[in-house]
């Protein structure tokens, strides 16, 4: 009985250690970094499409927070940095946006998933600007992020801000446009004058026409319309007469080719018959060369029937090869000359292809020099647009 109090005390201590939470100081506490990581993993990340919805709704702070969280959870995601750059551009933080874009472009995902900054052509943004300046402001932010300092984009931004009564922002954008392109040759003169009056009077500009200069080809299309209205019947009759005359000429050319190749084939068949009767060491090589001429004649005949060669051209080719097949030496010279000719033709085609590529790379076509169709770089819109999606 004397030991009963000690036994009770021992049982109480053992029970206390078994209770939930008891003895907690015996287990090492979670480190702050582990807690933060647990909270981050537990939190639900928004998808790229959901971030774009926030961005387009003007909730730029929330969109930026979501993009940064996605970038922290997925450091390999170029898409999260791309969206972060687009959001920062809409906030007017272009240097930060371009830095984020550069980091995104350095990640493998950029090329693997063909990411890019989406942007529209000037004429489309001009239409959006008239009905929704806020949406146009976002579209122009993408242009300035992708195309850098484009004076045409800054001019449209100045007009957009003036329509939204943001006078200081409009003046700053117009000053930037003038610094990049002092003449502002891409602006419609009347619209530019309206913008300048609006900034002087702090009144929204009145646009009776386009903000950007119309295409210089617009009058050409009017002329085409007049021609179609008045000259189409006459032109149709003339075109029909041309087709009839061309059909007669083609039938005559095909008839001439058929008659000429038939005569040459008869001549060659006789030469082949005689060659098969010959004997000696030179008989078989000569027969092989005549057989080659026979295959060439069939090919030339088909070219004539396809209207790619005339009877006179076929006769010239035949005479040249027929003279060459009589000896091994002249035939070898003929084959060498033909190979050289093919090499020169291939080289000429390659030069033409390169010159065409260079002319395309040097700038936009003259038919696309409308200020409403392309930006100062010559590009009209983004060829890569994959910033959204359901996964980072």
């Amino acid at each position: 009985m004397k030991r009963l109090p000690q036994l009770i005390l021992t049982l109480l201590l053992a029970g206390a250690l078994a209770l939930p939470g008891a003895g907690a100081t015996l287990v090492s506490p979670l480190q702050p970094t582990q807690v933060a990581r647990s909270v981050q993993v537990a939190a639900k990340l928004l998808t790229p499409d959901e971030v774009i919805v926030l961005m387009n709704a003007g909730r730029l702070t929330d969109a930026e927070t979501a993009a940064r969280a996605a970038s922290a959870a997925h450091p390999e995601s170029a898409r999260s940095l791309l969206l972060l750059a687009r959001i920062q551009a809409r906030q007017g933080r272009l240097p930060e946006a371009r830095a984020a874009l550069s980091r995104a472009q350095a990640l493998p995902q950029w090329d693997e998933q063909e990411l890019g900054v989406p942007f529209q052509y000037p004429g489309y943004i001009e239409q959006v600007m008239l009905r929704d300046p806020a949406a146009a402001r976002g579209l122009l932010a993408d242009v300035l992020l992708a195309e850098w300092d484009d004076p045409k984009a800054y001019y449209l931004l100045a007009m957009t801000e003036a329509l939204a009564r943001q006078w200081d922002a409009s003046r700053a954008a117009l000053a930037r446009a003038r610094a990049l392109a002092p003449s502002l040759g891409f602006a419609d003169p009347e619209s530019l004058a309206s913008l300048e009056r609006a900034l002087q009077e702090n009144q929204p500009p009145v646009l009776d026409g386009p903000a950007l200069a119309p295409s210089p080809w617009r009058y050409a299309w009017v002329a085409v319309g007049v021609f179609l209205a008045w000259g189409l019947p006459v032109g149709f009759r003339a075109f029909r007469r041309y087709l009839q005359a061309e059909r007669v000429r083609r039938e005559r050319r095909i008839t001439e080719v058929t008659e000429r190749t038939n005569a040459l084939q008869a001549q060659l068949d006789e030469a082949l018959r005689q060659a098969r009767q010959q004997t000696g060491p030179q008989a078989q090589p000569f027969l092989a060369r005549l057989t080659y001429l026979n295959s060439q004649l069939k090919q030339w005949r088909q070219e004539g029937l396809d209207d790619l060669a005339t009877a006179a051209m076929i006769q010239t080719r035949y005479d040249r090869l027929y003279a060459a097949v009589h000896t091994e030496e002249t035939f070898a010279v003929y084959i060498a000359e033909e190979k050289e000719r093919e090499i020169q033709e291939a080289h000429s085609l390659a030069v033409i292809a390169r010159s065409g590529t260079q002319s395309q790379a040097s700038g936009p076509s003259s038919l696309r020099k409308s200020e409403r169709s392309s930006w100062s770089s010559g590009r009209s819109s983004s060829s890569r647009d994959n910033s959204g999606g359901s996964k980072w």
Side-chain angles (χ1 to χ4, degrees), residues 28-258:
S28 59
L30 290 174
Q31 299 298 320
T33 55
Q34 294 175 319
V35 175
R37 188 178 298 112
S38 300
V39 172
Q40 186 183 69
V41 171
K44 178 182 179 299
L45 293 175
L46 298 182
T47 66
D49 283 339
E50 290 171 335
V51 175
I52 290 177
V53 169
L54 290 176
M55 180 182 70
N56 291 336
R59 296 172 57 183
L60 299 179
T61 301
D62 294 338
E64 181 181 4
T65 301
R68 289 188 181 278
S71 181
H74 300 280
E76 79 288 352
S77 173
R79 181 175 280 106
S80 62
L81 291 174
L82 169 60
L83 281 178
L84 178 62
R86 294 183 63 191
I87 295 164
Q88 291 173 335
R90 279 162 169 72
Q91 294 171 329
R93 298 152 56 189
L94 277 174
E96 296 178 58
R98 288 165 181 163
L101 181 62
S102 297
R103 296 200 304 274
Q105 292 169 338
L107 294 174
Q109 190 194 65
W110 182 269
D111 291 322
E112 290 172 358
Q113 299 190 13
E114 296 186 351
L115 299 180
V117 180
F119 62 94
Q120 296 289 340
Y121 63 95
Y124 175 82
I125 297 181
E126 180 183 343
Q127 296 173 7
V128 175
M129 174 189 73
L130 296 175
R131 64 176 185 269
D132 191 349
R137 189 183 293 116
L139 295 174
L140 289 168
D142 284 332
V143 175
L144 292 172
L145 177 61
E147 296 291 280
W148 291 73
D149 288 338
D150 189 290
K152 196 180 300 184
Y154 276 112
Y155 169 70
L156 286 178
L157 181 60
M159 188 70 73
T160 300
E161 298 292 7
L163 290 172
R165 296 176 179 269
Q166 301 297 318
W167 311 118
D168 292 339
S170 178
R171 292 186 184 95
L174 182 59
R176 185 58 180 158
R178 286 192 186 280
L180 295 170
S183 66
L184 295 182
F186 47 76
D188 180 77
E190 295 183 1
S191 298
L192 176 58
S194 175
L195 174 61
E196 291 173 336
R197 286 194 302 270
L199 294 179
Q200 292 175 358
E201 302 170 359
N202 284 356
Q203 293 294 328
V206 178
L207 294 180
D208 295 328
L212 295 169
S215 170
W217 296 92
R218 62 191 185 279
Y219 299 117
W221 292 115
V222 174
V224 170
V226 172
F227 171 77
L228 291 177
W230 295 95
L232 188 59
V234 176
F236 177 75
R237 288 193 295 270
F239 183 66
R240 186 171 59 183
R241 288 194 299 270
Y242 166 79
L243 290 179
Q244 293 174 347
E246 184 60 27
R247 182 168 59 252
V248 172
R249 284 192 293 270
R250 186 177 185 279
E251 290 175 353
R252 184 170 63 250
R253 288 194 296 268
I254 291 177
T255 301
E256 292 175 353
V257 165
T258 303

Side-chain angles (χ1 to χ4, degrees), residues 12-34:
L12 289 175
L13 289 174
L17 291 174
L19 290 175
T25 56
L26 299 178
V27 181
S28 59
L30 290 174
Q31 299 298 320
T33 55
Q34 294 175 319

